[in-house]
Amino acid sequence: MDFNDTAVEATFREEVRTWLSANIPTSDELKGLDYIGRAKLWQKRKYDAGWACIRWPKEHGGRDASAIDQVIWNQEESNFDTPDSVFGIGHGMCAPTMMAWATDEQNKNYIPKLASGEDVWCQLFSEPAGGSDLAALRTRAEKDGDDWIINGQKIWTSGAHYSDYGVLVLRTDPTAPKHQGLTYFFIDMKSAGIEVKPIRQISGGANFNEVYFTDVRVSDAQRLGAVGQGWQVALTTLMNERASIGGGGGGVNFDSVFDLATRVNIDDAPAIKDKNVRAQLATWYAQESGLKFNGYRSMTALSRGEIPGPENSIGKLVGAPKQQDMASFALDLLESGGAIWDPELSDAAGMFQATYMASPGLRIAGGTDEIMANIIAERVLGLPQDIRVDKGIPFNEVPTSNS
Amino acid sequence: MNFEFSEEQNMLREQAQGFLASNCSMAVVRRVLDGDEPYDADLWKKVAEMGWTATVIPEEYEGLGLSYLELSVIAEELGRALAPIPFSSSVYLATEAILAAGSEEQKQAYLPGLAAGTSIGCFALGESSGQTSAASLTTKADSSSITGVKIPVADGDIANFAIVVATSDKGDGASLYIVDLDQDGVSRESITTIDPSRSHAKLTLNAAGAQLLGNDGEGWSYVQSILNRAAVLFAWEQVGGCDTALNMAKEYAMGRFAFGRPIATYQAIKHKLANIYVKNTLARSNCYYGAWAISTDADELPIAAATARVSAIQAYYYASKENVQTHGGMGFTWEFDCQFPYRRSKLLATNIGSEATWQDKLITAIEKQRAA
């Protein structure tokens, strides 16, 4: 066992590092740009030099790089201060689905603009009546000549307000059983009849949107897969949720709470001397360490050209509640000061308070804790699925919550 | 990045699994737990014949000179089988003590027997309930004899010799001694523990013959380094046991029907088993870190050992208790095997320092690293 790159990997890492060192946008270059402009500038620079979406085929704007190369790239890029990306969903989920299901012509038109950052894409899956039970979505599409007419509502759509295109799953046959009546499309987000309304979160931010569709027209040519095959196409998207191998999470972590415990007192001594604080911190350290070395095991598999084992499936289920608990613990350590959420007055400029308020969302986005536990139980441990009372029943006869 | 066992080490694992499947079923664990034999002497002999006890002992002392990665593989499999043999006492503790602190003469005298399994060693640290420290030790030695009471000593009733930690007025306040247990100054009584599949004793030393192991007044520092290494190997045994508990629970949940369907279809059960898997996986990955640290003698060993130890204790406790619950009332019966991991998890958790003790060690090691 060792933590070293192979010779080929080391050469690649050096190449990446050299390029990054010379090409990170300067503050002058970024001045006056909003976060979307900054993200686009950085993405275009990578694209022009052949460093965008490196796993993709060259003809789609990528580099034909291996999975381990991607991990190395991510690690190196994360060592630099780069603009936040707005392309995660487009690159990680929409593009792989397009490459798997769209025509060559379509891919030639759309994919390079995704790679270069010219276009931003979003994913319109969740609905008020279809969250964890995604296939229960109800937004309708009805055939009208060579077009489909869309009516209904999507929700929790990240980035809908600045996206150029979106992928979406629609119900085309309400009389078929749940999974069989769905069809998958991609759509121009500037189409007439689309209305985007931001959702204000308990954290105060508004990263998500409601997206309303009123008689929105989409060409049948923008259908991916056959009519009624939408669930299968959607699974391609969901399977491509980016593996977070090698990436470190921001916000509250062991280091930040450990440091806090050296700054605040319990019984007139630094909190880090308190046995309960030490015990709690040790448990979190062990969890963080376990996740990190899970990542190393997955990287080893990639480095050997193998597929990583299931150990990486636990990341979100461990990481999200841990962030919440650590933020809560940090506020407690701050005692009455923990209630202050003000960049000027709060400890660490309010990071602990911000994480406390944002962390409930982490436990829901991309699959709730319960859904993640189901996935581990079913796909990793091989336990049976829940019995589904809506199985085989026409969708329009399935009981609903009448929301 | 090469953070995985080698092909040869995985082959060793397969061999070990095959051997233990035919020689150490749960029926064997039950026989020792129910009966009078303190350990399975026949299994011990076979394990020694395969060279497992000789794994990391250098060839010059009749060992195999393999690495701690091989020993990690064996530890995990012995833990999976809940093997009722004195492997941890003799291999992870006594052998390590002599390797760490022994003079050339002591190594020549003890290591070949330990390697062959003809000599069993044990480690006598604790003297009463509560945390043991250099300051709390009352066992005392002069130049050639030792007096004190050690309880509980894992395998103290069957071992040929003990590594005894005694107080010292020099250095760090403690010294190590080798005490041969077949002598007049030693009396040993078997004691009952929560896990009778692993024997324990009370050792009473009354001016027993003893030889100093390592330098006088450096004993507590040796103890820390011995326990750090043992913690990694204990943690491997623990994650092996975690898998056993998870598999027991899973198999039962798949076959047990309630309200017309397998209980494995209920989310209450599925989530319980998923949580076991999560904790086991975190512990296992930390064990990889520990195995790397011990096999490369890394500066991070104190952190890696404590990390592996803390997460392995937490994982095994959780897996073993929730395995009982998954079985419902049957899990509480003597007849079912759920009791074995439940007993063993707490035995391994307390044997070389508790969760709280190791949590504190972990933060202390991190503080040291940051201060450096």
Side-chain angles (χ1 to χ4, degrees):
Chain A
M1 280 189 195
D2 61 65
F3 298 128
N4 303 328
D5 288 331
T6 64
V8 175
E9 288 163 8
T11 308
F12 181 75
R13 190 183 293 280
E14 196 46 47
E15 196 186 346
V16 168
R17 201 174 288 172
T18 305
W19 187 83
L20 284 167
S21 309
N23 288 281
I24 297 296
T26 62
S27 48
D28 273 355
E29 290 174 305
L30 297 174
K31 202 179 283 172
L33 295 174
D34 64 3
Y35 69 100
I36 297 165
R38 290 171 178 213
K40 288 193 167 191
L41 181 145
W42 176 226
Q43 188 62 31
K44 181 72 166 49
R45 180 163 301 172
K46 289 191 277 185
Y47 178 77
D48 288 341
W51 289 113
C53 306
I54 61 171
R55 281 280 277 153
W56 296 4
K58 281 192 179 135
E59 79 240 40
H60 289 147
R63 196 185 182 89
D64 281 319
S66 68
I68 190 73
D69 288 346
Q70 180 74 62
V71 172
I72 290 169
W73 169 271
N74 294 349
Q75 288 177 333
E76 292 302 320
E77 190 181 19
S78 71
N79 289 334
F80 290 90
D81 187 16
T82 58
D84 288 340
S85 175
V86 295
F87 305 106
I89 287 167
H91 291 164
M93 302 174 81
C94 304
T97 311
M98 290 289 285
M99 288 186 232
W101 295 91
T103 64
D104 289 348
E105 188 66 22
Q106 286 168 334
N107 280 328
K108 212 173 285 172
N109 286 338
Y110 292 98
I111 301 296
K113 287 184 190 167
L114 255 164
S116 69
E118 188 177 336
D119 290 343
V120 183
W121 286 51
C122 62
Q123 177 225 45
L124 303 131
F125 278 18
S126 296
E127 295 191 9
S132 292
D133 182 10
L134 180 60
L137 60 90
R138 296 158 155 193
T139 298
R140 290 287 318 270
E142 285 164 306
K143 195 81 192 287
D144 180 46
D146 286 338
D147 291 342
W148 295 79
I149 311 289
I150 307 170
N151 279 289
Q153 186 203 340
K154 295 288 178 180
I155 194 168
W156 313 127
T157 314
S158 307
H161 50 304
Y162 54 71
S163 286
D164 301 286
Y165 294 92
V167 294
L168 72 174
V169 195
L170 300 166
R171 186 157 304 279
T172 47
D173 182 1
T175 66
K178 189 168 75 176
H179 291 90
Q180 291 158 34
L182 303 174
T183 306
Y184 197 113
F185 298 87
F186 67 92
I187 193 167
D188 184 339
M189 288 298 288
K190 308 289 181 303
S191 305
I194 295 181
E195 189 190 0
V196 177
K197 288 186 183 172
I199 301 170
R200 191 164 179 214
Q201 300 147 209
I202 62 172
S203 56
N207 306 328
F208 307 113
N209 299 280
E210 296 178 296
V211 181
Y212 290 88
F213 292 83
T214 310
D215 295 328
V216 176
R217 207 162 261 280
V218 63
S219 163
D220 188 56
Q222 286 172 226
R223 172 167 47 80
L224 299 181
V227 174
Q229 204 183 7
W231 184 248
Q232 202 183 325
V233 184
L235 287 180
T236 309
T237 313
L238 297 172
M239 294 302 231
N240 273 290
E241 293 217 65
R242 253 188 335 169
S244 59
I245 297 169
V252 174
N253 57 19
F254 173 83
D255 285 344
S256 56
V257 182
F258 177 92
D259 289 345
L260 174 63
T262 62
R263 290 197 297 273
V264 296
N265 281 359
I266 292 177
D267 294 337
D268 299 319
I272 192 63
K273 297 295 164 208
D274 180 272
K275 294 287 182 189
N276 288 330
V277 171
R278 296 169 82 78
Q280 193 54 72
L281 276 170
T283 293
W284 285 322
Y285 183 89
Q287 288 180 355
E288 249 170 53
S289 165
L291 292 179
K292 172 175 153 189
F293 293 112
N294 267 340
Y296 284 17
R297 289 171 63 196
S298 299
M299 270 185 75
T300 302
L302 293 177
S303 179
R304 293 177 177 182
E306 297 162 5
I307 296 165
E311 64 276 351
N312 234 49
S313 62
I314 71 172
K316 191 177 122 62
L317 185 52
V318 176
K322 181 170 79 65
Q323 279 238 332
Q324 186 172 33
D325 292 345
M326 292 187 89
S328 167
F329 186 79
L331 299 197
D332 287 347
L333 283 180
L334 291 160
E335 291 285 338
S336 60
I340 304 169
W341 188 9
D342 180 302
E344 303 288 316
L345 302 174
S346 297
D347 186 277
M351 175 190 64
F352 295 113
Q353 287 78 6
T355 301
Y356 177 78
M357 291 310 296
S359 54
L362 293 177
R363 295 182 53 196
I364 298 163
T368 61
D369 288 357
E370 290 75 16
I371 290 292
M372 301 318 286
N374 279 352
I375 288 173
I376 291 168
E378 291 169 19
R379 297 198 200 142
V380 179
L381 299 180
L383 300 180
Q385 286 196 336
D386 291 354
I387 288 172
R388 299 192 167 169
V389 296
D390 57 5
K391 204 168 191 169
I393 298 175
F395 181 73
N396 55 11
E397 292 173 22
V398 172
T400 68
S401 45
N402 295 321
S403 56
Chain B
M1 181 66 61
N2 177 20
F3 199 57
E4 197 45 81
F5 290 102
S6 69
E7 215 170 291
E8 291 79 11
Q9 286 152 0
N10 284 331
M11 273 167 57
L12 170 66
R13 178 186 307 286
E14 277 173 38
Q15 281 171 4
Q17 281 179 356
F19 168 79
L20 290 166
S22 37
N23 290 280
C24 188
S25 67
M26 286 296 152
V28 170
V29 181
R30 180 173 291 276
R31 201 187 69 223
V32 173
L33 184 123
D34 272 339
D36 290 333
E37 48 179 341
Y39 71 111
D40 186 337
D42 186 45
L43 177 63
W44 176 253
K45 199 161 163 261
K46 288 181 182 162
V47 158
E49 278 165 10
M50 290 201 304
W52 292 1
T53 43
T55 307
V56 298
I57 295 175
E59 284 166 297
E60 58 196 293
Y61 306 110
E62 298 172 30
L64 295 177
L66 294 171
S67 81
Y68 286 90
L69 296 178
E70 280 79 12
L71 191 54
S72 292
V73 167
I74 290 166
E76 183 182 357
E77 296 314 319
L78 288 170
R80 192 188 307 282
L82 287 88
I85 51 175
F87 200 84
S88 52
S89 295
S90 200
V91 178
Y92 314 153
L93 291 164
T95 298
E96 287 298 319
I98 288 172
L99 282 172
S103 65
E104 183 56 33
E105 203 184 342
Q106 287 166 332
K107 288 180 182 172
Q108 296 282 2
Y110 286 94
L111 291 176
L114 286 166
T118 48
S119 174
I120 294 173
C122 66
F123 190 68
L125 173 61
E127 300 183 348
S128 63
S129 295
Q131 202 176 49
T132 306
S133 66
S136 78
L137 293 167
T138 60
T139 299
K140 207 168 162 40
D142 57 29
S143 58
S144 63
S145 79
I146 191 164
T147 297
V149 176
K150 290 289 183 181
I151 178 171
V153 179
D155 304 299
D157 49 348
I158 56 171
N160 302 88
F161 70 93
I163 306 297
V164 178
V165 188
T167 184
S168 165
D169 46 20
K170 296 210 181 85
D172 63 21
S175 299
L176 303 186
Y177 292 86
I178 305 177
V179 178
D180 288 319
L181 295 176
D182 293 317
Q183 58 164 306
D184 287 346
V186 174
S187 75
R188 32 185 171 171
E189 273 169 74
S190 292
I191 52 176
T192 308
T193 69
I194 54 168
D195 183 5
S197 67
R198 293 279 296 107
S199 75
H200 284 64
K202 174 182 176 184
L203 296 185
T204 306
L205 312 172
N206 190 3
Q211 48 173 310
L212 184 67
L213 175 67
N215 297 323
D216 190 10
E218 290 181 16
W220 199 247
S221 147
Y222 289 129
V223 167
Q224 297 317 305
S225 112
I226 293 162
L227 290 184
N228 280 338
R229 303 168 82 79
V232 174
L233 299 161
F234 268 74
W236 276 111
E237 281 208 5
Q238 288 166 310
V239 298
C242 284
D243 268 2
T244 298
L246 175 57
N247 287 335
M248 266 188 206
K250 184 181 144 183
E251 205 171 302
Y252 187 77
M254 300 281 267
R256 170 73 181 179
F257 278 63
F259 306 102
R261 52 175 167 139
I263 62 170
T265 59
Y266 292 101
Q267 289 196 359
I269 295 293
K270 289 165 79 171
H271 291 183
K272 197 191 277 298
L273 299 194
N275 287 334
I276 295 176
Y277 173 82
V278 167
K279 288 178 199 291
N280 291 2
T281 302
L282 291 174
R284 176 179 304 279
S285 290
N286 284 329
C287 282
Y288 273 70
Y289 180 38
W292 167 79
I294 192 174
S295 67
T296 58
D297 230 343
D299 289 344
E300 294 105 304
L301 179 60
I303 292 178
T307 303
R309 174 84 177 146
V310 166
S311 57
I313 288 175
Q314 292 176 344
Y316 203 3
Y317 171 59
Y318 186 80
S320 68
K321 78 187 167 96
E322 295 310 322
N323 175 41
V324 177
Q325 298 304 311
T326 303
H327 282 71
M330 295 312 291
F332 191 56
T333 64
W334 194 269
E335 183 193 342
F336 269 54
D337 294 340
C338 303
Q339 55 171 320
F340 305 149
Y342 187 64
R343 293 172 185 279
R344 185 64 61 85
S345 70
K346 192 46 86 180
L347 186 80
L348 292 177
T350 54
N351 255 181
I352 54 164
S354 70
E355 179 182 356
T357 296
W358 282 93
Q359 284 173 322
D360 197 61
K361 283 191 191 199
L362 175 53
I363 299 300
T364 303
I366 291 168
E367 286 173 323
K368 250 186 212 155
Q369 188 190 51
R370 288 180 187 212

